[in-house]
Every structure is written in structure tokens, then in C-alpha cells.
Amino acid sequence: MPDNPLAAPAPWDDIADGYDEVMTDLMRPFAVEALRLAAPTRSARIIDIATGPGTLALLAAPMVKEVVAVDFSEAMIRRLRHAVMRSATTNLLTGVGDGQALRYPSSHFDAAFSIFGLMFFPDRPRGFAELRRILRPGGTAVVSSWAPIADSTLMTRLYEAVQAGNPNFSMPQPNPANLENPEVFENELRTAGFTDVTVRPHTESFAYVSAQQMWDKLTRGSAPIHLMRSKTDPATWKAQEQTMIDHLSAHYTPGEELTTTAWLGTGRA
């Protein structure tokens, strides 16, 4: 079992339905930007690693020849397969698999993506090395990772509400050893053999009609919130959650735009 519980499939299996229904709204703008940066051609074969419910993969399918979407969560892949059937997409292939040990041949893809996935890998160097291995020479990789919570007014507001309901909760602290540090991000891309490496910030704004909608949108598909809820007595959680929502109601003005920032790392094989 990985030290980080979010590096295992179970939490993602548990939240797959909620994640697909509400969190894709948060992820989609970053997937759009990743595709813009990679600029795949109509003849391209691409792979989306740690695809979740296929946010990027579904966007990319009409743009390219073939998309392969992989995730270690069977529930996420089931959601994606249902979406593929509903949309009658014919060029999107799905698979359950580990992004640190991909079963695809070397130099097979023209572009490779991991949108808020590789950041959770227990062995990130292996993840980056696999990205490099499966890309043809000249192929492009785009990886995203959240910037520190302090750079996100959206996540800061959410976690302040969580702390109001659960005083034992500690606000996430900066971790200069992971991909929220752009120097680490750039170094890990270069170490894997990528050239033309760039790590740039991308900020999006989100607004909600009410604090309740904000809470629902940001927590129904949140693996960290799910883990917290699963470790709390149901009656206790119900009371804590109401305090969290009340805190949001007191500190969020309906329609107020809040931002969240991610790092987008690109490199060429």
C-alpha cells in the first residue's frame, strides 16, 4: 500500500461517479490548455495516462486519429466506457493499467498527457520515464500538477471551511519536494530525457450561485474529502459538514470568482 492513500485505486473507485459528474468542470479548462500546448495533428495517436473519467481523452478524440486512455481505477474506466458508448466515439480505446508500467510499445505515440495524475504516482521518475519511452522521437508530453494551495483562492476558501468544521484538520502545507515546485517539475522532465522543457502556470476562475453549490461541486468528487468522511462517525461528520457549509456561506459571496492555478509541464522526446 503506498504511503499516500491517493496513490492507490480504492479512493478513486469510491468517488468515480461524483468525480465524473462534478469535478470534470474543474478539470476541463486545464485539459483544453494541455491540448492547445501539444497541438496534436489529425493523424496523431495520443495517450492519456491517469485519465480518470476521460476528461482530456473525450475532448481529444474528435481532434486526432486515435486516443488511448488508461487509469488504475476500474470504476473510472467504467465511467469512461459508458461515455464512449453514449457518444458513439470510435477512436478512443480504454484500459485499466499502471502509468508506471505501461504495456504499450516504445515510440508508439505522438503525444502523451497526464492531467493531475502523475503527480500522485508513488514513483514519479518511473512515470516520467514511461511517458518518454512510449513517445516517438519528436513527440510531446504535457503533464499538469496543482500549484500550492496558497496560490489558489478557491482551494484556500474550501479548506478554511473544512478546518472550521474539523479543528483537527491541518491546512495543506507547501511541499517543495513534489511537482507543485516548478524547479522539481522541470528537473524530473529533464531527467527522464525530455528536451525543450517548459513548466508554466495556468490559472482558471470559477464562480458559484451559492456556497452550497460550491461545496457540492468541490467535495462530491474529492478523494481527500471522501477519505476524511470515511474515517469519521456519520453523525459527527453530518454536524461537521454543516459547520463547513455554514462557514462557506459566511465567507463566500454568490457569483464571486475564485481562482485555482496549476503548473503545466511540457517536454519533447
Side-chain angles (χ1 to χ4, degrees):
M1 181 73 176
D3 292 338
N4 180 355
L6 299 184
W12 304 101
D13 286 340
D14 291 344
I15 65 161
D17 291 348
Y19 190 101
D20 192 11
E21 291 166 3
V22 298
M23 291 299 284
T24 49
D25 290 343
L26 186 70
M27 305 297 176
R28 188 177 293 110
F30 296 98
V32 168
E33 178 64 8
L35 287 166
R36 188 192 70 81
L37 291 172
T41 65
R42 292 289 301 175
S43 62
R45 177 183 288 116
I46 75 169
I47 185 168
D48 182 20
I49 299 166
T51 188
T55 306
L56 182 139
L58 289 165
L59 287 169
M63 303 167 56
V64 299
K65 179 180 180 179
E66 181 182 274
V67 180
V68 173
V70 180
D71 202 282
F72 68 174
S73 165
E74 293 186 15
M76 289 286 189
I77 291 297
R78 279 197 301 271
R79 293 285 304 195
L80 175 53
R81 287 171 179 162
H82 291 155
V84 169
M85 288 188 287
R86 289 194 302 270
S87 65
T89 300
T90 59
N91 65 335
L92 201 167
L93 309 176
T94 63
V96 177
D98 182 356
Q100 300 163 123
L102 296 165
R103 63 177 182 268
Y104 305 101
S106 299
S107 303
H108 188 68
F109 294 98
D110 299 293
F113 301 86
S114 186
I115 305 303
F116 306 113
L118 198 153
M119 57 184 279
F120 291 117
F121 285 11
D123 190 340
R124 287 200 313 268
R126 282 183 61 191
F128 278 114
E130 280 292 86
L131 274 182
R132 173 66 182 81
R133 180 185 67 78
I134 61 173
L135 279 172
R136 65 166 179 78
T140 300
V142 184
V143 177
S144 70
S145 180
W146 296 118
I149 294 292
D151 294 345
S152 167
T153 58
L154 182 65
M155 292 296 108
T156 297
R157 194 75 56 89
L158 174 67
Y159 283 121
E160 285 174 348
V162 172
Q163 192 171 50
N166 180 1
N168 294 323
F169 172 77
S170 297
M171 290 286 286
Q173 298 300 306
N175 184 351
N178 68 21
L179 297 186
E180 70 178 37
N181 181 342
E183 294 181 2
V184 169
F185 203 157
E186 181 175 338
N187 180 65
E188 292 190 10
L189 278 163
R190 292 191 187 282
T191 299
F194 288 101
T195 61
D196 299 331
V197 171
T198 303
V199 177
R200 69 200 86 193
H202 183 77
T203 300
E204 291 284 345
S205 298
F206 299 88
Y208 304 92
V209 299
S210 66
Q212 182 69 58
Q213 186 199 41
M214 178 180 171
W215 178 259
D216 291 342
K217 286 279 189 180
L218 295 179
T219 62
R220 277 186 58 208
S222 168
I225 297 294
H226 166 75
L227 287 171
M228 189 184 310
R229 183 191 299 115
S230 68
K231 296 176 181 178
T232 306
D233 171 76
T236 301
W237 174 258
K238 184 177 181 180
Q240 289 180 344
E241 184 177 39
Q242 188 57 57
T243 301
M244 296 170 192
I245 295 169
D246 291 344
H247 181 91
L248 268 186
S249 296
H251 293 85
Y252 179 72
T253 302
E256 178 187 1
E257 289 196 348
L258 299 174
T259 63
T260 190
T261 298
W263 294 108
L264 291 172
T266 60
R268 195 170 302 280

